[in-house]
Amino acid sequence: MSKLNFEEIQGDILLGGLPKRAQTFLFFTIDPKRIQEFRTQLKKFVPQITTLAKVKDDRDAIEKSKAAAKNSTAPILSITGVNISFTKKGLTQLQLGLGTDDIVDVDFNTGMFSGAKDLGDPIEPGSQFTPKWDKNWIPGAIVKDATGKDVIVKDIHGLIMVTGDNPNRVENRLNEIKDHFSSASSVHQLEGNIRPGDQKGHEHFGFLDGVSQPAVEGVDDNVNPGQQKVPPGVILLDDTTQRPKWAVNGSFLAFRHLSQLVPEFNSFLEANAIPGLPPKDGAELLGARLMGRWKSGAPIAVTPYVDDPAMGADPKRNDDFDFEKTSQIRCPFAAHIRKTNPRSDIGLEVTKSNRIIRSGIPYGPEVSGKEALNGLTEKGIDRGLLFVSYQSNLGKGFAFIQRGRLSIRN
Ligand code: HEM
């Protein structure tokens, strides 16, 4: 395979993605009367898009700064990043004139809204929207119409993601971008932030996230023990399939706004703590068995009864495991990481094409003392995960995993 051109690949897809402490997701629509103008603005915007080559340099600079700081805290470098993606509706609206805008992916072409039922998203007759979706499911951007009524904007044409080392820098960069794209309007905006202190890198339930990612051949030089190698074509569109030429080196981005009821989750663990242990430890073990890892990141397939924080924090050890086929003594079949990547349960070769790169970020405030005490998320508070995954085929990657196809394949 020819060498990948890092200047052609957007930076969030590989090598750990855009460095981010804060990230804003801006969903936009293109004004149908100003398409030509949008195209011109997009062309001028291209040099601002953070490429994989830039991410490589940024990540090298971060590593150097950490090494130079030795035992003291390394300064946080001022780095921002910008990536852009389009929906099927956006591509159609753009009328690229590149021969075809059909990028040949069923899930992409039909869109997440029409595929929601198949993805297992809840439908609850009686909700205020048509079709009748569960009130907790956001079927598009919800905006107020002229009369102040909530309406759903389903015609989202694209997503601009801005990342940075702090929210102010992200906001400033985003404002410049909004000014630049005068032919588009923002319909929905979401802000994510990494969690504070020792929870950095952990999602809101408290588990270390972003541990198990596939290593992409020709991109990731340092492959950790246990890390599965996949050809670039699993994540990037390549020219071996019927994809149009202009799409090569792109990737499909799946986005999900996933709310997490953290105090309720913790109460559930306490109420159902595994017996025979002090209640706190029983709750901790139940959480670990639901996830397949301890909060530290240590896999229960290796250390099933006690946490090993040193292992959790060590990339050379925290992904170096497999599941015991047909046994769930160490790790339940239903553990999140076993359902989303069953490893040898199904066969590493078989599941290779189902691997995804995850690049999401938590959002929302930390749990307050009052919420922790009541075991209830306060009204009006929303926290969770702004989930992002990259794959070359949605039906094999995100959608396949979300539909639970991996766990029922045999
Ligand atoms: C709020 C929802 C979610 C939370 C809190 C969450 C959290 C986690 C955590 C803590 C891990 C283990 C650490 C790691 O390997 O990175 C993990 C792994 C993973 N998650 Fe999620 N996740 C969520 C939703 C999803 C969704 C929707 C998908 C895909 C449809 C997904 C796919 C995966 C995959 C593929 C892995 C890696 C499994 C492995 O290779 O061992 N997750 N997740």
Side-chain angles (χ1 to χ4, degrees), residues 145-407:
D145 70 4
T147 65
K149 213 177 108 211
D150 280 344
V151 290
I152 310 167
V153 180
K154 284 192 276 158
D155 283 346
I156 291 174
H157 293 144
L159 164 67
I160 292 174
M161 299 187 305
V162 182
T163 56
D165 51 299
N166 70 53
N168 287 343
R169 220 185 300 283
V170 170
E171 196 185 339
N172 292 341
R173 185 99 197 251
L174 187 70
N175 286 337
E176 289 165 14
I177 295 170
K178 282 182 180 168
D179 288 346
H180 176 89
F181 281 112
S182 55
S183 56
S185 25
S186 152
V187 285
H188 196 48
Q189 194 170 312
L190 292 165
E191 272 118 42
N193 267 298
I194 60 160
R195 296 190 51 220
D198 65 359
Q199 288 302 299
K200 178 173 175 260
H202 294 241
E203 51 71 45
H204 272 291
F205 290 144
F207 295 89
L208 185 65
D209 205 357
V211 181
S212 171
Q213 304 271 31
V216 173
E217 285 160 11
V219 178
D220 294 296
D221 301 330
N222 303 319
V223 180
N224 288 319
Q227 195 180 9
Q228 186 176 23
K229 279 202 230 166
V230 299
V234 171
I235 308 299
L236 299 171
L237 277 63
D238 60 20
D239 46 15
T240 61
T241 50
Q242 20 162 351
R243 265 63 184 276
K245 281 266 173 299
W246 60 263
V248 168
N249 281 342
S251 187
F252 289 107
L253 183 163
F255 175 82
R256 306 278 279 176
H257 175 164
L258 299 172
S259 292
Q260 289 174 259
L261 300 176
V262 180
E264 289 83 347
F265 177 76
N266 289 335
S267 303
F268 172 85
L269 296 185
E270 279 162 28
N272 297 282
I274 292 178
L277 292 166
K280 203 173 154 293
D281 295 350
E284 206 60 17
L285 180 58
L286 177 62
R289 286 181 69 81
L290 285 173
M291 185 55 75
R293 290 184 184 271
W294 297 91
K295 287 183 175 167
S296 69
I300 59 167
V302 182
T303 174
Y305 307 118
V306 280
D307 190 4
D308 183 342
M311 182 193 295
D314 182 356
K316 300 271 173 251
R317 292 194 292 149
N318 63 14
D319 206 23
D320 193 12
F321 68 94
D322 208 338
F323 301 113
E324 261 180 305
K325 236 180 162 176
T326 72
S327 163
Q328 43 183 349
I329 292 174
R330 282 167 175 263
C331 180
F333 296 129
H336 178 61
I337 66 160
R338 198 162 183 175
K339 280 165 71 174
T340 52
N341 183 13
R343 303 185 186 221
S344 292
D345 281 348
I346 288 175
L348 295 175
E349 273 311 308
V350 185
T351 56
K352 221 180 210 179
S353 63
N354 305 117
R355 296 303 307 272
I356 57 178
I357 296 278
R358 291 168 296 127
S359 192
I361 189 164
Y363 73 94
E366 291 295 298
V367 172
S368 69
K370 187 178 158 202
E371 288 181 294
L373 198 70
N374 294 341
L376 271 181
T377 303
E378 202 157 333
K379 208 164 181 271
I381 296 285
D382 184 22
R383 63 172 66 79
L385 181 68
L386 300 175
F387 174 94
V388 169
S389 74
Y390 296 102
Q391 51 271 295
S392 63
N393 181 320
L394 285 166
K396 287 186 181 168
F398 165 73
F400 195 82
I401 298 171
Q402 176 71 31
R403 287 175 189 136
R405 295 282 195 270
L406 276 167
S407 34

